Amino acid sequence: MLQFKPSYCRNLLCEMECHEHAWPFLLPVNTKQFPQYKKVIKSPMDLSTIKRKLHENSYKCKEEFASDVRLMFSNCEVFNEDDSPVGRAGHHMRGYFEQRWPQLT
Ligand SMILES: Cc1ncccc1N[C@H]1CCCS(=O)(=O)C1
C-alpha cells in the first residue's frame, strides 16, 4: 500500500477552499442560524474540519479524506434544495472535486 501523502490532499483542499463556490463549506454550519441542521444531519462535515483532520494525521489513507469530502456534499444535498444558492454551490464543488480527484496520483 502506497504511503499516504497528505500533500496531494492538502493541495486539492487548498484549491477547493479558494474555489468561487466554496463559501457554504468553509466553516461548520452554524446550528444557531440553522437550528434544524443538527436534527437532520447526523455527521456534519466542512472544509475547515477536513483541514484540521489532515493536519492532525487523522486520515490513514486518501480514501478516508475523499469520504469526508463526499460526506460534506451528501449532507448539503440532504439539507438544501438543488435549486438553491447553497444547493447549487454544492453541485459545482462536488463536480470540481470528482473531476480533480482521479488526477491525484
Ligand atoms: C453547507 C450548508 N448546508 C446547509 C445550510 C447552510 C450551509 N452553509 C452555510 C455556511 C455559512 C454561510 S450560509 O449560512 O449562507 C450557508
Side-chain angles (χ1 to χ4, degrees):
M1 168 109 137
L2 277 177
Q3 207 264 334
F4 175 43
K5 295 198 182 74
S7 56
Y8 289 130
C9 296
R10 264 202 299 276
N11 294 342
L12 179 47
L13 182 67
C14 200
E15 287 176 21
M16 288 197 286
E17 284 176 321
C18 65
H19 192 288
E20 171 192 359
H21 298 290
W23 55 272
F25 309 104
L26 297 175
L27 294 172
V29 174
N30 182 331
T31 48
K32 292 191 184 37
Q33 215 176 333
F34 299 91
Q36 272 293 88
Y37 197 77
K38 272 172 96 117
K39 294 187 197 71
V40 174
I41 301 298
K42 297 304 167 205
S43 308
M45 190 49 62
D46 71 285
L47 294 173
S48 73
T49 302
I50 293 169
K51 188 174 203 168
R52 177 178 54 73
K53 287 177 75 171
L54 256 181
H55 182 74
E56 292 168 350
N57 289 322
S58 300
Y59 298 123
K60 295 305 155 224
C61 61
K62 62 185 170 75
E63 283 71 22
E64 286 185 5
F65 167 83
S67 103
D68 266 356
V69 173
R70 290 175 175 136
L71 168 64
M72 179 179 75
F73 293 134
S74 303
N75 290 343
C76 183
E77 286 206 47
V78 166
F79 196 84
N80 300 283
E81 294 294 326
D82 288 337
D83 190 20
S84 67
V86 175
R88 272 193 299 278
H91 289 297
H92 277 294
M93 289 303 295
R94 181 202 286 277
Y96 182 78
F97 172 77
E98 295 300 349
Q99 176 254 333
R100 286 288 284 130
W101 180 246
Q103 294 160 6
L104 210 62
T105 44

